[in-house]
Amino acid sequence: QAQLPAGSQGRVTMGAGVLEDASGNQIRVISTSEPNGYLRPGVTAQPGEIVISGTGHAEADIVAYAEANGYKVVTIGASRPVCATCATTITGSGGTAATPLKGAK
């Protein structure tokens, strides 16, 4: 989130996930709430990370990517609290949310 321009920090959600393939290899993925996986200037993926093109909910896009590619969801975190819909999507996939849920105290 710190890589985002100041004006985008309250509007854009960045997601990060750890997925696992059938052999147990971990896959690191990055997603954004921006259309088509657009990364704002200054936001960069680390070597080995896969940037996922999505539809608006960064966390749900990671789950959809995992399902489409036969990966198991291990954990997903986000730069902002995870909304209830995404939390349900994450747990429904068998994964865990690594960051706080929206409204949690």
Side-chain angles (χ1 to χ4, degrees):
Q1 194 74 352
Q3 289 184 3
L4 287 170
S8 300
Q9 289 182 3
R11 299 182 303 108
V12 176
T13 302
M14 299 297 301
V18 177
L19 311 178
E20 195 173 88
D21 68 14
S23 298
N25 299 306
Q26 290 190 340
I27 297 101
R28 296 179 320 201
V29 295
I30 302 298
S31 63
T32 176
S33 60
E34 298 274 38
N36 301 315
Y38 172 74
L39 297 179
R40 295 275 174 155
V43 177
T44 57
Q46 298 298 312
E49 293 176 336
I50 299 167
V51 177
I52 296 172
S53 179
T55 59
H57 281 252
E59 306 93 314
D61 290 337
I62 292 173
V63 172
Y65 177 84
E67 290 173 352
N69 290 282
Y71 299 137
K72 173 186 167 192
V73 176
V74 176
T75 190
I76 297 173
S79 59
R80 297 172 27 183
V82 177
C83 74
T85 301
C86 286
T88 299
T89 301
I90 293 168
T91 57
S93 73
T96 60
T99 51
L101 303 181
K102 189 173 186 177
K105 298 190 190 274

